[in-house]
Amino acid sequence: MGRVSTPALSALPVRPLTLRDLPACTSLAYDRGWSPEEHKWRLLLAAGNGVGVDAPDGRGLLGACTLTDFGPHEAPAFTAIGMMLIADRYAGRGFGRRLLEHVVQYSERVPLTLYASGSLLPLARKLGFTSVGRAATATGRLTGPTALPKRPRLTLSPARAGDLPRILQLDAEVFGTDRTPLIARLPAFADRFLVAEEDGELTGFAARWPNTATEVVGPLVARDTRTAQALITGLAEGSTRPLRVDVDVRHTALLEWLGERGMPVVATSELMTRALPVLPGDWTRRFAPLTVAAA
């Protein structure tokens, strides 16, 4: 298809997105060869917000991305950028840069994070983002021995409403900031949501939620690798589709364990930040985010 004639970049306003834009967002994803991921778009637009540019030809959105604030509403600790997409017919013409520049300017002094790969990597670097880590995407059907070495005091159970205050407290410790708008939606968002306890102490939690072709394990918070393995094993029960988990590459033991059980690493992405030297919190217990679209 030939190039579409468009007004100057500066003449195309960037506007807020709402849940009313959900069909346009999923159509944009489909246009770029992504899965529509309606379930994830709905969560991110409800727990956070988004920005987009209407296509001048009247065919939906030219581009879009989601923004998820973490921390106090008045002064977020940082904002996670996700789902950045430009319609195929407008690709390679500077619209991605225009959208990301808008987000940087809009954020003012609020630090930013994003997971980047492909063409987004050099663009993010040009706009002041630096790599602070990596995530390895492990995908497949969990196979092999499901029984783990006995650890009598470790128990798994479905998360209940009464567990939410403890989950939010542990999440804030591990991720270094308050993420209530996102985590409080997990019970309705996830198909399966488990907590791990030892001697009555909450030592981890994890959720499994449906995506288009896979079921995603995330967030995955655990005291240690053994607890993370137990949570993944518990979440795999009853799953009818391949699992996906985006593991911090520093958790090598978990990645090796997943690879041995039919879930090899199929891709990696860079965790990048702007005006934030490192992510806050405790990475040793932060095994995987809820989604790489909300670091």
Side-chain angles (χ1 to χ4, degrees):
M1 179 182 294
R3 287 198 166 190
V4 179
S5 176
T6 60
L9 291 176
S10 58
L12 296 174
V14 179
R15 66 171 178 85
L17 298 177
T18 70
L19 283 171
R20 289 192 298 272
D21 294 297
L22 183 59
C25 291
T26 57
S27 293
L28 179 62
Y30 184 79
D31 172 79
R32 286 314 304 261
W34 283 24
S35 298
E37 299 187 301
E38 179 179 346
H39 194 55
K40 182 163 66 172
W41 277 104
R42 186 183 299 277
L43 172 74
L44 295 173
L45 291 174
N49 53 80
V51 293
V53 178
D54 291 312
D57 61 8
R59 294 164 53 196
L61 290 169
L62 180 155
C65 68
T66 58
L67 304 171
T68 308
D69 292 340
F70 296 124
H73 177 72
E74 303 78 12
F78 61 90
T79 297
I81 305 169
M83 311 298 276
M84 180 162 283
L85 282 168
I86 301 297
D88 185 63
R89 63 193 183 279
Y90 295 109
R93 305 178 64 182
F95 291 105
R97 181 177 185 123
R98 155 94 163 121
L99 193 58
L100 191 54
E101 283 177 337
H102 173 86
V103 171
V104 169
Q105 294 166 4
Y106 171 81
S107 71
E108 298 184 80
R109 290 183 294 274
V110 177
L112 299 170
T113 70
L114 59 80
Y115 280 94
S117 59
S119 61
L120 184 55
L121 269 169
L123 172 58
R125 291 191 180 112
K126 287 178 183 176
L127 295 181
F129 288 80
T130 58
S131 297
V132 298
R134 277 193 306 143
T137 302
T139 302
R141 296 182 185 274
L142 197 67
T143 59
T146 56
L148 296 169
K150 287 190 176 181
R151 190 164 169 180
R153 294 192 301 273
L154 175 63
T155 61
L156 301 182
S157 59
R160 298 176 176 83
D163 294 319
L164 187 57
R166 294 191 302 157
I167 291 169
L168 289 171
Q169 181 179 354
L170 179 57
D171 185 81
E173 290 176 13
V174 172
F175 285 87
T177 190
D178 178 33
R179 307 196 316 152
T180 297
L182 195 66
I183 301 304
R185 287 176 166 82
L186 270 181
F189 178 72
D191 285 345
R192 192 164 169 80
F193 188 10
L194 297 177
V195 295
E197 294 180 279
E198 288 194 50
D199 299 324
E201 178 188 356
L202 184 70
T203 59
F205 63 89
R208 186 191 83 207
W209 51 273
N211 209 358
T212 306
T214 63
E215 293 185 282
V216 180
V217 173
L220 175 57
V221 170
R223 169 180 284 176
D224 50 31
T225 301
R226 170 67 178 81
T227 305
Q229 292 170 345
L231 284 164
I232 293 173
T233 301
L235 291 175
E237 294 177 6
S239 174
T240 59
R241 288 183 288 174
L243 297 180
R244 167 180 171 159
V245 57
D246 297 290
V247 180
D248 185 315
V249 296
R250 291 172 289 188
H251 290 294
T252 55
L254 181 63
L255 286 169
E256 290 172 4
W257 180 84
L258 288 167
E260 292 167 356
R261 284 161 176 77
M263 292 184 61
V265 173
V266 297
T268 60
S269 56
E270 297 283 321
L271 173 58
M272 308 186 80
T273 62
R274 189 179 190 279
L276 188 68
V278 295
L279 277 187
D282 179 6
W283 76 265
T284 65
R285 292 182 288 169
R286 186 174 58 231
F287 283 82
L290 188 153
T291 167
V292 291

PDB file of all heavy atoms in Angstrom, residues 165-177:
ATOM      1  N   PRO A 165      -5.433  -7.089  52.024  1.00  0.00           N
ATOM      2  CA  PRO A 165      -4.523  -6.158  52.718  1.00  0.00           C
ATOM      3  C   PRO A 165      -3.101  -6.691  52.815  1.00  0.00           C
ATOM      4  O   PRO A 165      -2.131  -5.929  52.625  1.00  0.00           O
ATOM      5  CB  PRO A 165      -5.172  -6.001  54.100  1.00  0.00           C
ATOM      6  CG  PRO A 165      -6.621  -6.278  53.861  1.00  0.00           C
ATOM      7  CD  PRO A 165      -6.641  -7.364  52.832  1.00  0.00           C
ATOM      8  N   ARG A 166      -2.939  -7.993  53.094  1.00  0.00           N
ATOM      9  CA  ARG A 166      -1.590  -8.555  53.182  1.00  0.00           C
ATOM     10  C   ARG A 166      -0.919  -8.611  51.818  1.00  0.00           C
ATOM     11  O   ARG A 166       0.292  -8.394  51.692  1.00  0.00           O
ATOM     12  CB  ARG A 166      -1.636  -9.958  53.794  1.00  0.00           C
ATOM     13  CG  ARG A 166      -2.086 -10.005  55.249  1.00  0.00           C
ATOM     14  CD  ARG A 166      -1.840 -11.386  55.835  1.00  0.00           C
ATOM     15  NE  ARG A 166      -2.519 -12.435  55.092  1.00  0.00           N
ATOM     16  CZ  ARG A 166      -2.147 -13.712  55.095  1.00  0.00           C
ATOM     17  NH1 ARG A 166      -1.111 -14.111  55.801  1.00  0.00           N
ATOM     18  NH2 ARG A 166      -2.838 -14.615  54.396  1.00  0.00           N
ATOM     19  N   ILE A 167      -1.686  -8.904  50.779  1.00  0.00           N
ATOM     20  CA  ILE A 167      -1.138  -8.929  49.419  1.00  0.00           C
ATOM     21  C   ILE A 167      -0.645  -7.541  49.027  1.00  0.00           C
ATOM     22  O   ILE A 167       0.455  -7.383  48.485  1.00  0.00           O
ATOM     23  CB  ILE A 167      -2.196  -9.443  48.430  1.00  0.00           C
ATOM     24  CG1 ILE A 167      -2.462 -10.931  48.664  1.00  0.00           C
ATOM     25  CG2 ILE A 167      -1.749  -9.212  46.988  1.00  0.00           C
ATOM     26  CD1 ILE A 167      -3.662 -11.468  47.913  1.00  0.00           C
ATOM     27  N   LEU A 168      -1.447  -6.519  49.313  1.00  0.00           N
ATOM     28  CA  LEU A 168      -1.053  -5.151  48.975  1.00  0.00           C
ATOM     29  C   LEU A 168       0.190  -4.728  49.744  1.00  0.00           C
ATOM     30  O   LEU A 168       1.072  -4.041  49.212  1.00  0.00           O
ATOM     31  CB  LEU A 168      -2.199  -4.186  49.260  1.00  0.00           C
ATOM     32  CG  LEU A 168      -3.402  -4.289  48.314  1.00  0.00           C
ATOM     33  CD1 LEU A 168      -4.558  -3.436  48.821  1.00  0.00           C
ATOM     34  CD2 LEU A 168      -3.022  -3.862  46.897  1.00  0.00           C
ATOM     35  N   GLN A 169       0.293  -5.143  50.996  1.00  0.00           N
ATOM     36  CA  GLN A 169       1.472  -4.798  51.792  1.00  0.00           C
ATOM     37  C   GLN A 169       2.723  -5.462  51.238  1.00  0.00           C
ATOM     38  O   GLN A 169       3.765  -4.813  51.082  1.00  0.00           O
ATOM     39  CB  GLN A 169       1.267  -5.220  53.249  1.00  0.00           C
ATOM     40  CG  GLN A 169       2.453  -4.875  54.148  1.00  0.00           C
ATOM     41  CD  GLN A 169       2.230  -5.277  55.594  1.00  0.00           C
ATOM     42  OE1 GLN A 169       1.141  -5.718  55.975  1.00  0.00           O
ATOM     43  NE2 GLN A 169       3.263  -5.146  56.410  1.00  0.00           N
ATOM     44  N   LEU A 170       2.623  -6.763  50.909  1.00  0.00           N
ATOM     45  CA  LEU A 170       3.775  -7.465  50.348  1.00  0.00           C
ATOM     46  C   LEU A 170       4.132  -6.894  48.976  1.00  0.00           C
ATOM     47  O   LEU A 170       5.321  -6.716  48.658  1.00  0.00           O
ATOM     48  CB  LEU A 170       3.468  -8.960  50.243  1.00  0.00           C
ATOM     49  CG  LEU A 170       4.566  -9.848  49.638  1.00  0.00           C
ATOM     50  CD1 LEU A 170       5.867  -9.720  50.423  1.00  0.00           C
ATOM     51  CD2 LEU A 170       4.107 -11.308  49.582  1.00  0.00           C
ATOM     52  N   ASP A 171       3.127  -6.604  48.167  1.00  0.00           N
ATOM     53  CA  ASP A 171       3.380  -6.046  46.840  1.00  0.00           C
ATOM     54  C   ASP A 171       4.115  -4.720  46.946  1.00  0.00           C
ATOM     55  O   ASP A 171       5.044  -4.449  46.179  1.00  0.00           O
ATOM     56  CB  ASP A 171       2.065  -5.871  46.092  1.00  0.00           C
ATOM     57  CG  ASP A 171       2.263  -5.406  44.661  1.00  0.00           C
ATOM     58  OD1 ASP A 171       2.556  -6.261  43.810  1.00  0.00           O
ATOM     59  OD2 ASP A 171       2.137  -4.191  44.405  1.00  0.00           O
ATOM     60  N   ALA A 172       3.713  -3.867  47.899  1.00  0.00           N
ATOM     61  CA  ALA A 172       4.369  -2.572  48.074  1.00  0.00           C
ATOM     62  C   ALA A 172       5.829  -2.743  48.496  1.00  0.00           C
ATOM     63  O   ALA A 172       6.701  -1.991  48.059  1.00  0.00           O
ATOM     64  CB  ALA A 172       3.610  -1.735  49.102  1.00  0.00           C
ATOM     65  N   GLU A 173       6.108  -3.742  49.328  1.00  0.00           N
ATOM     66  CA  GLU A 173       7.489  -4.012  49.727  1.00  0.00           C
ATOM     67  C   GLU A 173       8.330  -4.439  48.528  1.00  0.00           C
ATOM     68  O   GLU A 173       9.452  -3.969  48.327  1.00  0.00           O
ATOM     69  CB  GLU A 173       7.530  -5.134  50.777  1.00  0.00           C
ATOM     70  CG  GLU A 173       6.987  -4.777  52.138  1.00  0.00           C
ATOM     71  CD  GLU A 173       6.984  -5.992  53.050  1.00  0.00           C
ATOM     72  OE1 GLU A 173       7.628  -7.009  52.704  1.00  0.00           O
ATOM     73  OE2 GLU A 173       6.326  -5.932  54.106  1.00  0.00           O
ATOM     74  N   VAL A 174       7.781  -5.342  47.726  1.00  0.00           N
ATOM     75  CA  VAL A 174       8.545  -5.952  46.638  1.00  0.00           C
ATOM     76  C   VAL A 174       8.689  -5.003  45.447  1.00  0.00           C
ATOM     77  O   VAL A 174       9.743  -4.966  44.813  1.00  0.00           O
ATOM     78  CB  VAL A 174       7.883  -7.276  46.212  1.00  0.00           C
ATOM     79  CG1 VAL A 174       8.528  -7.833  44.956  1.00  0.00           C
ATOM     80  CG2 VAL A 174       7.975  -8.289  47.358  1.00  0.00           C
ATOM     81  N   PHE A 175       7.633  -4.237  45.140  1.00  0.00           N
ATOM     82  CA  PHE A 175       7.687  -3.332  43.995  1.00  0.00           C
ATOM     83  C   PHE A 175       8.049  -1.903  44.388  1.00  0.00           C
ATOM     84  O   PHE A 175       8.219  -1.042  43.528  1.00  0.00           O
ATOM     85  CB  PHE A 175       6.366  -3.355  43.229  1.00  0.00           C
ATOM     86  CG  PHE A 175       6.201  -4.598  42.397  1.00  0.00           C
ATOM     87  CD1 PHE A 175       5.663  -5.746  42.946  1.00  0.00           C
ATOM     88  CD2 PHE A 175       6.616  -4.628  41.066  1.00  0.00           C
ATOM     89  CE1 PHE A 175       5.522  -6.915  42.192  1.00  0.00           C
ATOM     90  CE2 PHE A 175       6.484  -5.782  40.302  1.00  0.00           C
ATOM     91  CZ  PHE A 175       5.947  -6.925  40.871  1.00  0.00           C
ATOM     92  N   GLY A 176       8.165  -1.645  45.687  1.00  0.00           N
ATOM     93  CA  GLY A 176       8.691  -0.366  46.153  1.00  0.00           C
ATOM     94  C   GLY A 176       7.735   0.797  46.098  1.00  0.00           C
ATOM     95  O   GLY A 176       8.139   1.943  46.302  1.00  0.00           O
ATOM     96  N   THR A 177       6.455   0.542  45.839  1.00  0.00           N
ATOM     97  CA  THR A 177       5.480   1.618  45.790  1.00  0.00           C
ATOM     98  C   THR A 177       4.073   1.026  45.850  1.00  0.00           C
ATOM     99  O   THR A 177       3.887  -0.184  45.672  1.00  0.00           O
ATOM    100  CB  THR A 177       5.650   2.463  44.511  1.00  0.00           C
ATOM    101  OG1 THR A 177       4.846   3.638  44.600  1.00  0.00           O
ATOM    102  CG2 THR A 177       5.260   1.673  43.263  1.00  0.00           C
TER     103      THR A 177
END
